[in-house]
Amino acid sequence: MSKRTVLVTGGARGIGKGIAQSFLEAGCNVMIADLAQGDGWRYRLATDAEAAATSRELADLGDVRYTPVDVTDAASCAAAVQATLDAFGALDVLVNNAGVVDSGPIEQFTERQWEHIFAVNVKGVFLMTQAALAGLRASADAAIVNTASIAGKRGAPNMAAYCGSKFAVVGITQSFALELAGDGIRVNALCPGMVATAMWQDHLMANRGEAAFEDRMRDLIPLGRPQTVEDMGQAAVYLATAPNVSGVALNVAGAYQMH
Ligand code: NAD
């Protein structure tokens, strides 16, 4: 993969950081794109400072930069793509990984919660892909990896917005795979199982601690442990490199879900 350029949204922390690390280890240039200002959601999202710290931490592995992006905003997506082209002269792999979660009974769920989940998780994939297309078409080896979820394959109570958004990502992935095949652009989805990031620690199992998360996942997951950001990075690199794989939604979930 040497010297392919990869843009990872939501790359400041969590799964996106793991994906950035794996692409750097595979010899790529990486642009981390994330929110500059992490306020305004049910739990704290990433900040400029966090993204800058991640870039510094990963710098020993290769050329990694940071650019701010809000994936719900078309002009911001275009600016992040332009920053990548300015920094590295190319864009070969787009990883649409930015995402937010919220949960709760349908009668208490607000329109604002619903709309923001769809704005980030679904519209964000569309806007970033649209902004990146010219760059990807100019690449001889282009791929898109969308972070969906096992929640994009099976519904869950109190999770209609999140599950609906991730089902949408799987459908978008299949559609883009067909639409962009003629350009030689492969498009796949990564479906993580359960990874101990802010989504779990600060929201879904807030205040219950890492040990409680580990115990619960050991019971639930047939392979006996939660997934890690490294598991996700490895799978993302596979999806971006496999020459004849496109349109799949790959579960990385320790046999917790199989379809
Ligand atoms: P996370 O909260 O640590 O990471 C999400 C990142 O997206 C954050 O850095 C956040 O700042 C960024 N982001 C949010 N809104 C944004 C916006 N408008 N513009 C740009 N960036 C924005 O959580 P994570 O678990 O690392 O999530 C990464 C992806 O993995 C998400 O798409 C999530 O839905 C998916 N996922 C996570 C799990 C899990 O178990 N953690 C499971 C399945 C899927």
Side-chain angles (χ1 to χ4, degrees), residues 13 15 34 46 70-71 97 148-149 162 166 193 195 197 199-200:
R13 69 183 197 192
I15 290 172
D34 211 314
D70 178 351
V71 300
N97 168 79
S149 173
Y162 185 74
K166 294 300 187 178
V195 188
T197 64
M199 288 195 173
W200 280 97

Side-chain angles (χ1 to χ4, degrees), residues 1 9 18 34-35 37 42 52 54 63 65 82 97 105 110 117 123 141 166 180 197 199 209 221-222 231 236 238 258:
M1 285 203 78
T9 69
D34 211 314
L35 282 177
Q37 175 55 263
R42 285 277 284 260
T54 295
D63 197 344
R65 320 267 178 101
Q82 193 56 53
N97 168 79
T110 65
I117 287 174
K123 188 172 82 168
D141 193 6
K166 294 300 187 178
L180 302 178
T197 64
M199 288 195 173
I221 297 172
D231 294 330
Y238 165 73
M258 299 184 183

